[in-house]
Amino acid sequence: MTTTPETRPFRFGVVAAQAPTGAAWSDLAHRVESAGYDTLVMPDNVSFGHAVFPALAAAAAVTTRLHVGTYVLANDFRHPVQVAKESATLSVLSGGRFELGLGAGRPDSARENAMLGLGFDPPGVRVDRLVESIGIIKRLLAGETVTVDGPHHRAVEASVLPYGTEPQQVPILVAGGGPRMLRIAGEQADIAALGIPFSAEEPEALAAIDHVRSADRPAPELNMNLMAVGETVPRYLAGRLDPAALAAKGAVGVVTGSAEEMADQLRERRERLGVSYVLVGDELMEAFAPVVGLLAGS
């Protein structure tokens, strides 16, 4: 059964991976919060960027309203009991401002796995392992003591909540691009991150969203990244991305024009697609802030 969600308020976030010093990272977190963004999220890499849990804890410690999250945690890198323990701790210490994003690993992640002495299984195996991990993590965050002997993970009488701590309501984001991962996001997640190309047009986005909404449960919040804001693009795409041309084709990964025009584009996109949670990279943060000011919470 396909479920159609009611309109959700807009949320906006910034994706960042690193800063040269602790002071610079704290300053970034302050600026993200002051600009009206709702979240600061981090990708999970071995060789690039800061380690996610300590960096997110530092960001949470110097802010009061800002949510922090993984975008997304590579499931193969850690045992789910370890993930649940880290998540519960960060949720408690941040006052419930942590959001756990999970993924089965990027298609090009074999090198990162090798750094940890891990093999890189076929996609179907990695997705199966992710589903098993999500189930274990949810049970542990709910306060259960968990013993499992599954195809991918083992644990004996595992519990992760510090003494005297209530079960933690940690929102779970699942990122996916293929049909199976999108359906899993619809079945398991509070937030579904649509891993579609930024050049995708609305029919492709709608096809992905249909997979998410195929689950027989309330549809999760829908998330997308923007790769261009007006004429501003990330440095690594400079000269290789034409925002105006993409916008003319109806690409959902860009917004163009004045702040008011960009806000209108996102309102229309939310009406047609249901996407209400929008992320930009830290290089686009300042260019997008006026749009956040117009739409946040609306």
Side-chain angles (χ1 to χ4, degrees):
M1 181 180 81
T2 299
T3 60
T4 303
E6 60 186 45
T7 300
R8 293 177 182 266
F10 277 114
R11 288 205 304 154
F12 298 100
V14 172
V15 185
Q18 60 187 0
T21 65
W25 181 252
S26 295
D27 178 66
L28 174 63
H30 278 300
R31 288 189 290 114
V32 171
E33 183 172 59
S34 297
Y37 288 92
D38 299 282
T39 61
L40 173 63
V41 299
M42 294 183 66
D44 186 26
N45 296 279
V46 177
S47 58
F48 172 74
H50 295 312
V52 290
F53 283 110
L56 292 174
V62 297
T63 55
T64 58
R65 178 190 57 81
L66 191 70
H67 283 222
V68 297
T70 55
Y71 195 81
V72 294
L73 211 64
N75 182 59
D76 281 1
F77 289 1
R78 303 165 188 83
H79 192 282
V81 175
Q82 180 187 7
V83 173
K85 182 65 176 182
E86 300 275 3
S87 298
T89 299
L90 189 43
S91 179
V92 170
L93 297 182
S94 68
R97 291 185 286 133
F98 175 62
E99 301 180 8
L100 174 63
L102 294 164
R106 301 184 311 277
D108 61 351
S109 293
R111 178 174 174 271
E112 295 264 314
N113 280 40
M115 291 182 190
L116 299 170
L118 302 172
F120 194 62
D121 290 320
V125 176
R126 288 186 281 116
V127 173
D128 287 343
R129 185 157 51 239
L130 173 64
V131 173
E132 189 174 295
S133 293
I134 291 171
I136 295 168
I137 292 166
K138 284 184 174 181
R139 291 176 61 192
L140 289 166
L141 291 175
E144 292 187 36
T145 298
V146 175
T147 295
V148 294
D149 186 6
H152 303 285
H153 297 295
R154 294 183 176 85
V156 178
E157 296 186 353
S159 60
V160 302
L161 297 183
Y163 178 76
T165 301
E166 296 294 322
Q168 294 301 296
Q169 303 299 316
V170 177
I172 291 180
L173 176 150
V174 172
R180 186 182 176 205
M181 277 299 301
L182 290 164
R183 288 193 294 270
I184 290 167
E187 293 164 358
Q188 300 284 346
D190 303 291
I191 309 159
L194 304 176
I196 58 178
F198 64 83
S199 57
E201 298 171 24
E202 284 198 7
E204 185 175 349
L206 280 169
I209 291 165
D210 283 344
H211 289 300
V212 174
R213 292 178 177 166
S214 65
D216 189 10
R217 66 186 286 262
E221 181 180 39
L222 295 178
N223 160 255
M224 284 185 60
N225 269 344
L226 293 179
M227 295 304 295
V229 174
E231 298 181 356
T232 306
V233 301
R235 282 190 296 272
Y236 75 92
L237 289 175
R240 299 192 290 125
L241 187 155
D242 184 342
L246 286 170
K249 293 176 61 177
V252 297
V254 302
V255 289
T256 57
S258 67
E260 291 77 10
E261 289 169 332
M262 289 189 279
D264 285 341
Q265 291 161 31
L266 291 176
R267 289 190 191 99
E268 293 167 4
R269 210 165 284 169
R270 181 177 63 176
E271 179 68 23
R272 294 194 296 268
L273 304 178
V275 175
S276 59
Y277 180 24
V278 180
L279 293 171
V280 296
D282 54 349
E283 292 180 67
L284 307 183
M285 179 179 76
E286 291 185 7
F288 194 59
V291 184
V292 174
L294 291 171
L295 293 179
S298 65

